[in-house]
Amino acid sequence: MTKSKVLIFALFFLIISLVFYWKIFLKPIDIVAGGDNIYSSSAFYYLNHESFKENKELILWNPYGYSGYPFTTSIIGGRFFPINLIFLFSYKDFYLNYFYPIFLLIAGFFTFLFLRKLKLGYFGAFICGLVFMLNGNLVQRSLAGDPAHVIAHSLIPIIFYLTEIFFERKNIISASLVALSLATQFLSGQVQFFLYTCLFLLAYYLFRAISDRRNIKKYFGYGIFIFVFVLLISAVQLLPLLEFSKYITNRGLDSDFNYITQGSLPPYHLINLIMPHFFGVRLLETYWGFPHAEFYFYLGIGALILSLLAIISTKDGKVRFFWISALATLILAMGRYTPLFKVINFIFPVVGFFQVPSRFLIVFTFCVAILAGFGADFITKGKISLSKYKLVNILLLIVSVLSLFALIGSILGESLIKSKGEEILNDYYYVKYKDTGAVKTHTFDYFLGKLNSAYHSIVFSLASFFVLISAFLILIYLFVKGKIRKEIFYILLIMFIVIELFSFNSVIADREIMENKFFPDENKRDTIFDETEVIKFLKMDDDLFRVHQGDEWIIPYYLAVRHNVYLTTGYDTLNLNYYNEFYKNANNYSENYPGLV
């Protein structure tokens, strides 16, 4: 692989990532006003930077949240991640915006390099990189999410690329690079992503080692070295976290199974694989599916069909490994809905430290992207027989016809669908969710008004699915029949994948939509970190005190950090269990006396 070709493909991935996030550059020095970017990440980086600037040392204690708690254990921001260490010396809030296009580029480019290491051609590797960098599960974490989510997700292909280099060279340097990449992912701030990546990498390592049994002892020795080296590098964050883990609320070896499986992917949400907006779009407030943000994982119809072509066209061990891994992690993502999660939790009890099993989808999306790359590569190299093409065309034709019937039925049966929806809504509103905050906040008529948008989401999804399936069917048919040249087919295939992923996935990472949801008042976005009247009033009191504000956050945590206001509440997933108990008791005791305590 020549350097010039590598640079050309790197440029392609750079252009795609910049175009995908083009709205960021409309306001290049304003932070994206949405979600955890504001509520968590901005506070974390600001506090880390300001403390270092004033005291020339890392802050060990956070006095602003939860009546004070150890800051060294707050891994969520990834304070020891290499890029974040630079923020100790220079930090502006808008820096966070650029994590997303940068790591989208890294995700795509290193997936491309990994597939090249697996001896795939440029076209297949490029398709794979496109699918992974634009997959819905990755991009839905951006802008409104924690940058650490995107970073940890994007580092997976680097880890596997370096692992493949290790299997080529089998020396201490290549093994050290694998360890460094794993430790870097751990230090990025998402331990759960690190754990799932390690489980996946362990399976891949064993698969590759067994395939080369002559060097099995060498692989075992290097495996131990990698494990120990990762522990040593990560110790700066790992040791405080292990110490703190004894006090984390409802986490660990004795944690409740129902608690740790919150955020399991409901089986009926598998429809998101082929109809990503079937349940609406959260940012557009048309969402009517299970209430969780992690269930979006659209990879595109094109990627799924290419993956199918790869699976049915070869008995190659690597293809078999990745489709089995894809299936296993999809099942694990369903958590409580499948017995497999109980098995993995029994074998690896550390899984019980985390909620949201649906995060196994980070591995699933990587596997499907790789399979799509193999499928595209097999097409370019003529490895797919005519009978396989015919089989896929027949399947696509059947699915296309069925989706058309479903579309026609949904249009003709509008009144029936809406009446059934009202029955379901009655059950949920007055029975299943009657004690939830959503029901207490909104009237029945409010949710009844959502039925129309839910119906339109279903119709739109069926129509778009029919169009995409039919278009891909025609594309394959024309290629097999020799109606279009290979070069034209390759260009059309790339265009198909880019357009469908941009069309569906860009809406969940749109800056304008994001900001309008979280901060509809554009003027407020410009003064989002300014002192409020409440803070000005509090600063008139020179005494030491903490603000207790119950469920209504008059002073958000991100403002408390910037304006030296001490709170009894906070914004961190790692809460002290004994403080939680104290807070609940105090809150019940003082509920008639809101204000300062």
Side-chain angles (χ1 to χ4, degrees):
M1 184 165 56
T2 63
K3 289 184 179 179
S4 60
K5 284 187 177 180
V6 171
L7 291 175
I8 290 171
F9 279 97
L11 180 60
F12 284 153
F13 286 115
L14 173 62
I15 292 171
I16 291 166
S17 64
L18 294 179
V19 172
F20 190 83
Y21 288 113
W22 68 274
K23 287 189 178 180
I24 286 179
F25 301 96
L26 296 178
K27 295 184 285 185
I29 59 172
D30 291 343
I31 187 173
V32 176
D36 284 348
N37 261 349
I38 301 296
Y39 299 115
S40 176
S41 300
S42 66
F44 179 91
Y45 289 112
Y46 178 86
L47 185 58
N48 213 24
H49 169 70
E50 289 298 313
S51 175
F52 186 80
K53 185 174 70 173
E54 292 178 12
N55 305 311
K56 297 297 183 281
E57 61 183 26
L58 296 175
I59 181 173
L60 302 178
W61 184 260
N62 181 357
Y64 300 106
Y66 303 120
S67 299
Y69 68 102
F71 193 69
T72 50
T73 59
S74 184
I75 192 173
I76 300 303
R79 67 187 319 206
F80 297 110
F81 185 67
I83 293 178
N84 293 349
L85 291 175
I86 298 174
F87 289 170
L88 293 174
F89 304 94
S90 174
Y91 172 70
K92 302 292 181 184
D93 290 306
F94 70 86
Y95 289 179
L96 301 183
N97 299 348
Y98 299 99
F99 272 83
Y100 307 118
I102 289 172
F103 281 94
L104 210 67
L105 162 65
I106 288 172
F109 182 58
F110 278 92
T111 303
F112 166 81
L113 292 180
F114 174 58
L115 266 288
R116 288 292 296 151
K117 279 293 175 185
L118 295 183
K119 311 303 181 186
L120 267 69
Y122 288 104
F123 180 70
F126 183 62
I127 289 291
C128 180
L130 276 180
V131 172
F132 185 65
M133 75 184 295
L134 297 177
N135 86 79
N137 197 250
L138 173 57
V139 301
Q140 64 92 16
R141 303 178 187 283
S142 63
L143 300 187
D146 187 337
H149 283 248
V150 176
I151 294 170
H153 200 153
S154 301
L155 291 177
I156 293 174
I158 295 182
I159 293 167
F160 275 78
Y161 170 65
L162 293 175
T163 300
E164 202 57 37
I165 290 178
F166 162 75
F167 281 115
E168 281 185 0
R169 301 178 182 176
K170 302 179 187 65
N171 58 30
I172 196 71
I173 294 176
S174 57
S176 299
L177 290 175
V178 174
L180 282 170
S181 63
L182 277 168
T184 301
Q185 190 192 39
F186 174 82
L187 295 174
S188 70
Q190 276 299 325
V191 183
Q192 187 173 7
F193 288 16
F194 167 76
L195 172 64
Y196 293 170
T197 302
C198 284
L199 293 176
F200 179 41
L201 184 66
L202 175 62
Y204 185 71
Y205 192 92
L206 291 174
F207 161 73
R208 295 287 276 114
I210 293 171
S211 300
D212 184 14
R213 296 179 184 178
R214 293 174 301 176
N215 295 301
I216 195 76
K217 291 183 179 179
K218 183 181 291 187
Y219 291 134
F220 180 79
Y222 277 122
I224 297 297
F225 168 78
I226 291 170
F227 175 74
V228 173
F229 198 13
V230 169
L231 290 179
L232 291 174
I233 301 171
S234 305
V236 65
Q237 182 69 76
L238 179 61
L239 293 179
L241 185 64
L242 290 175
E243 174 66 21
F244 188 60
S245 66
K246 296 181 291 186
Y247 309 105
I248 298 174
T249 302
N250 206 6
R251 303 286 178 96
L253 302 180
D254 300 320
S255 54
D256 179 69
F257 185 76
N258 287 329
Y259 181 83
I260 65 173
T261 55
Q262 289 181 20
S264 299
L265 177 71
Y268 60 83
H269 265 268
L270 292 177
I271 199 170
N272 284 346
L273 261 176
I274 57 175
M275 300 181 197
H277 295 172
F278 185 86
F279 294 106
V281 180
R282 298 177 65 88
L283 287 178
L284 299 178
E285 298 187 351
T286 60
Y287 192 76
W288 59 279
F290 194 89
H292 207 285
E294 301 270 356
F295 300 158
Y296 191 87
F297 60 114
Y298 187 61
L299 292 132
I301 299 299
L304 294 178
I305 297 172
L306 289 173
S307 299
L308 177 62
L309 283 168
I311 293 169
I312 66 175
S313 299
T314 183
K315 294 182 179 179
D316 182 277
K318 292 187 179 71
V319 172
R320 187 184 299 115
F321 171 82
F322 285 112
W323 78 253
I324 292 174
S325 297
L327 180 61
T329 50
L330 184 61
I331 295 172
L332 286 171
M334 289 188 268
R336 66 177 64 175
Y337 302 105
T338 168
L340 183 59
F341 190 82
K342 286 187 176 182
V343 174
I344 199 76
N345 189 39
F346 177 77
I347 298 173
F348 299 101
V350 69
V351 171
F353 279 94
F354 306 99
Q355 291 180 294
V356 196
S358 60
R359 288 180 175 170
F360 269 106
L361 292 173
I362 66 169
V363 178
F364 170 78
T365 53
F366 185 59
C367 291
V368 174
I370 291 171
L371 291 171
F374 271 101
D377 188 65
F378 291 166
I379 290 174
T380 61
K381 294 177 180 177
K383 291 185 177 181
I384 302 176
S385 66
L386 187 60
S387 62
K388 302 298 184 185
Y389 279 123
K390 287 182 178 180
L391 174 61
V392 169
N393 276 344
I394 291 171
L395 289 174
L396 292 180
L397 182 60
I398 293 172
V399 172
S400 178
V401 171
L402 291 176
S403 64
L404 179 60
F405 284 149
L407 175 61
I408 294 172
S410 65
I411 294 173
L412 296 178
E414 179 178 356
S415 59
L416 179 63
I417 292 172
K418 289 183 177 179
S419 64
K420 184 62 178 177
E422 189 170 346
E423 288 179 23
I424 296 172
L425 181 58
N426 266 291
D427 180 50
Y428 275 75
Y429 190 86
Y430 293 110
V431 181
K432 293 183 179 178
Y433 290 153
K434 64 178 182 179
D435 295 323
T436 62
V439 169
K440 292 177 180 178
T441 305
H442 300 289
T443 65
F444 180 79
D445 288 338
Y446 169 82
F447 291 107
L448 193 61
K450 297 286 186 180
L451 278 179
N452 197 49
S453 65
Y455 170 74
H456 286 300
S457 294
I458 294 171
V459 173
F460 169 78
S461 295
L462 287 169
S464 57
F465 178 70
F466 169 72
V467 170
L468 289 172
I469 283 287
S470 301
F472 206 93
L473 172 63
I474 294 170
L475 186 60
I476 292 287
Y477 176 81
L478 293 176
F479 174 67
V480 173
K481 291 295 183 179
K483 303 294 184 181
I484 52 176
R485 298 201 317 268
K486 282 186 178 181
E487 295 78 7
I488 301 299
F489 172 75
Y490 300 156
I491 293 171
L492 290 176
L493 184 57
I494 291 172
M495 290 176 60
F496 182 95
I497 289 173
V498 170
I499 291 172
E500 68 165 337
L501 292 179
F502 263 74
S503 299
F504 288 102
N505 294 347
S506 61
V507 70
I508 62 170
D510 185 285
R511 175 175 192 154
E512 186 178 1
I513 296 173
M514 193 82 60
E515 292 183 327
N516 285 336
K517 174 178 172 58
F518 288 97
F519 294 93
D521 185 350
E522 190 170 349
N523 294 325
K524 189 175 181 180
R525 296 176 206 162
D526 298 331
T527 59
I528 199 168
F529 296 125
D530 291 356
E531 280 187 350
T532 63
E533 292 301 318
V534 174
I535 293 175
K536 290 178 182 178
F537 171 77
L538 291 172
K539 283 189 172 182
M540 295 170 61
D541 190 336
D542 294 331
D543 289 338
L544 284 174
F545 58 83
R546 292 193 181 278
V547 177
H548 175 64
Q549 48 195 354
D551 294 332
E552 296 185 15
W553 282 29
I554 300 171
I555 305 172
Y557 171 67
Y558 64 85
L559 285 182
V561 166
R562 291 171 183 270
H563 300 291
N564 299 313
V565 177
Y566 305 110
L567 302 177
T568 60
T569 53
Y571 201 92
D572 198 319
T573 57
L574 301 182
N575 302 334
L576 293 164
N577 49 24
Y578 59 81
Y579 180 75
N580 263 11
E581 192 63 31
F582 162 77
Y583 180 81
K584 287 177 183 177
N585 293 332
N587 199 35
N588 290 334
Y589 176 80
S590 62
E591 61 183 357
N592 294 321
Y593 304 95
L596 305 182
V597 293

